[in-house]
Amino acid sequence: MANEVSFSLSMAAVLFALLIGIVSSVKFEELFRPSWARDHVIYQRDLLQLKLDKDSGAGFESKGKYMYGKVTAQIKLVEGDSAGTVTAFYMSSDGPNHNEFDFEFLGNTTGEPYLVQTNVYVNGVGNREQRLNLWFDPAKDFHSYSILWNQRLVVFLVDETPVRVHSNLEHRGIPFPKDQAMRVYSSIWNADDWATQGGRVKTEWSHAPFIASYKAFEIDACECPLPRAAAENMKRCSSGSGGVKRYWWDEPTMLELNVHQRHQLLWVRANHMVYDYCTDNARFPVIPVECEHHHH
């Protein structure tokens, strides 16, 4: 009897998940498709690899578009000499006024630390780069990289540790990415004109192919059926005031970092951040408005 009950409960959970469009799957082909250089996308059971060589890089994208939620991939970056290569894991909407949340992993010569560059585009405008090194070697093993997005925050997480928060400051007249559905993307390409030490270190093609490996994808987000008006998607994907279903990412605990997470973020910023656009006076003689609240 107990088994039947738990089975029907789990079925109910599955149906509920389907109903509200939450997708979570480790199977690549259920969630994603190769987006370019299909012959450089290697897929075996639960492992996906993107290959960069002299001929081409490669990329994949989610089949669906999402508004709010959390996306995660476990990634193992290019081993050994990865100088000149960039591996990106990001979310983006379409069009010239797109919104985008980026993890870009900048390769390095053997023994030098990988740099992680994050960026946030709002209405087509980026220039919000931060760079950090990590507290582990990201080429040695798989680590999880996540983007959490709700109406209040965009949080970049590494192994569940927040490394960056972009807050909604609309009350101060700053636009926040909230009404464009996004796909999830990843790609690897040659960027030796800028990626490593400002472009001084070039890609060493004798070390190719350069391979980034992925597993355990999760998309726990609100899927937006295509095509549909932004306003309709927003209504569908936010919890609303009319007692409409509450999504987990709209729970009060999700709308701000907890004390532990705030301490983690301070630790990351103090020990691992190597560049922050907010403090780059040469580029921004006037501190960008969204930076001010970081420095209270």
Side-chain angles (χ1 to χ4, degrees):
M1 181 62 199
N3 284 348
E4 282 172 41
V5 171
S6 64
F7 175 72
S8 60
L9 279 174
S10 64
M11 277 307 289
V14 166
L15 287 172
F16 178 69
L18 287 173
L19 195 69
I20 62 172
I22 286 178
V23 193
S24 179
S25 170
V26 290
K27 282 203 171 55
F28 173 75
E29 70 276 11
E30 284 175 18
L31 295 178
F32 296 97
R33 58 186 175 218
S35 49
W36 53 285
R38 188 172 291 261
D39 59 340
H40 284 55
V41 180
I42 306 145
Y43 183 54
Q44 305 144 323
R45 301 234 303 284
D46 56 352
L47 182 70
L48 174 83
Q49 296 185 315
L50 293 184
K51 182 170 81 169
L52 167 67
D53 57 24
K54 198 86 171 116
D55 298 324
S56 180
F60 62 82
E61 63 184 23
S62 62
K63 294 176 179 176
K65 286 185 172 185
Y66 306 92
M67 198 178 280
Y68 308 133
K70 184 178 182 185
V71 304
T72 301
Q74 290 196 19
I75 308 174
K76 188 167 106 170
L77 293 163
V78 176
E79 286 184 67
D81 178 5
S82 57
T85 71
V86 173
T87 305
F89 175 59
Y90 61 105
M91 296 181 75
S92 181
S93 59
D94 301 327
N97 297 319
H98 74 294
N99 298 331
E100 188 177 320
F101 312 138
D102 295 331
F103 273 112
E104 290 182 309
F105 304 98
L106 315 183
N108 222 324
T109 41
T110 309
E112 293 289 310
Y114 247 94
L115 284 184
V116 182
Q117 175 167 293
T118 58
N119 203 353
V120 174
Y121 284 77
V122 187
N123 298 337
V125 180
N127 298 326
R128 295 182 179 89
E129 296 87 356
Q130 291 180 358
R131 287 185 180 185
L132 49 134
N133 52 43
L134 293 165
W135 47 96
F136 54 82
D137 179 348
K140 282 277 178 287
D141 215 334
F142 286 90
H143 290 268
S144 77
Y145 301 91
S146 308
I147 299 165
L148 165 69
W149 174 32
N150 59 34
Q151 296 171 75
R152 197 72 63 79
L153 303 170
V154 180
V155 186
F156 294 78
L157 301 121
V158 175
D159 288 337
E160 291 301 310
T161 296
V163 298
R164 176 173 190 165
V165 175
H166 183 83
S167 304
N168 184 334
L169 299 173
E170 286 178 308
H171 61 281
R172 306 200 32 200
I174 302 170
F176 181 78
K178 61 169 189 187
D179 56 358
Q180 297 183 34
M182 296 186 166
R183 284 189 207 278
V184 185
Y185 297 89
S186 188
S187 51
I188 186 171
W189 74 94
N190 175 40
D192 66 6
D193 54 331
W194 65 271
T196 306
Q197 294 177 31
R200 285 194 295 278
V201 183
K202 300 300 180 193
T203 303
E204 182 49 73
W205 291 110
S206 65
H207 294 163
F210 301 101
I211 290 175
S213 306
Y214 301 78
K215 64 179 189 184
F217 294 98
E218 282 178 64
I219 297 181
D220 192 348
C222 183
E223 187 163 3
C224 298
L226 314 169
R228 188 180 267 194
E232 208 178 321
N233 278 329
M234 268 184 81
K235 206 147 94 185
R236 202 174 146 273
C237 291
S238 46
S239 298
S241 49
V244 192
K245 58 186 174 282
R246 188 179 262 292
Y247 293 108
W248 65 264
W249 53 85
D250 287 331
E251 295 290 344
T253 53
M254 289 291 139
L255 298 177
E256 56 181 6
L257 298 189
N258 63 36
V259 171
H260 176 59
Q261 289 174 316
R262 285 206 295 275
H263 287 162
Q264 287 180 312
L265 181 60
L266 286 170
W267 176 81
V268 169
R269 291 180 64 91
N271 295 289
H272 292 280
M273 184 171 280
V274 295
Y275 174 82
D276 183 2
Y277 78 107
C278 283
T279 56
D280 188 338
N281 308 106
R283 269 177 81 193
F284 303 103
V286 177
I287 290 183
V289 187
E290 73 267 19
C291 294
E292 291 167 9
H293 74 297
H294 282 316
H295 302 289
H296 284 337

